[in-house]
Amino acid sequence: MAITNQTVLKKMASEIQEAMLQHSDEHKVREHVRSVKLLADLLLEEENTAPEPTRSVEEPTVEEVRKMMGADKPSKTTESKPIDHDDANGSSIFDF
């Protein structure tokens, strides 16, 4: 069961009223303020975690296709220069 934003806002208002009525007891005021903070965080979290529009699993996006095909990677030349060592006499690692 989903809780509406209006319900959360009403609960926040109720907690603020309770905090104002008990202004002489700092501990209880802090508890009510903490409750308001948690309720506000709940509303903000719902906003950030809104479900993304659904799409078929078989339909990749253009960006996904480019990544799969390697189009987003810079092209590299695989030309290797021979290593010049004093004791080496060939391009194979087995040449001694």
Side-chain angles (χ1 to χ4, degrees), residues 19-51:
M20 290 171 58
L21 290 174
Q22 299 176 1
H23 62 74
S24 59
D25 187 355
E26 186 178 337
H27 179 69
K28 288 188 178 186
V29 169
R30 286 183 167 276
E31 286 181 22
H32 290 293
V33 170
R34 201 171 284 121
S35 296
V36 171
K37 181 182 178 198
L38 288 172
L39 290 165
D41 288 343
L42 176 68
L43 281 178
L44 294 173
E45 185 177 303
E46 280 182 4
E47 192 175 281
N48 290 338
T49 59

Side-chain angles (χ1 to χ4, degrees), residues 33-94:
V33 170
R34 201 171 284 121
S35 296
V36 171
K37 181 182 178 198
L38 288 172
L39 290 165
D41 288 343
L42 176 68
L43 281 178
L44 294 173
E45 185 177 303
E46 280 182 4
E47 192 175 281
N48 290 338
T49 59
E52 295 181 12
T54 57
R55 59 183 177 84
S56 174
V57 176
E58 291 84 23
E59 300 175 27
T61 63
V62 174
E63 184 178 322
E64 290 172 335
V65 172
R66 286 184 180 156
K67 284 183 180 179
M68 286 189 278
M69 300 301 288
D72 62 337
K73 296 179 184 175
S75 62
K76 296 181 183 178
T77 57
T78 57
E79 244 179 75
S80 62
K81 297 179 182 176
I83 300 173
D84 185 22
H85 291 290
D86 293 337
D87 297 333
N89 60 359
S91 61
S92 172
I93 62 169
F94 300 109

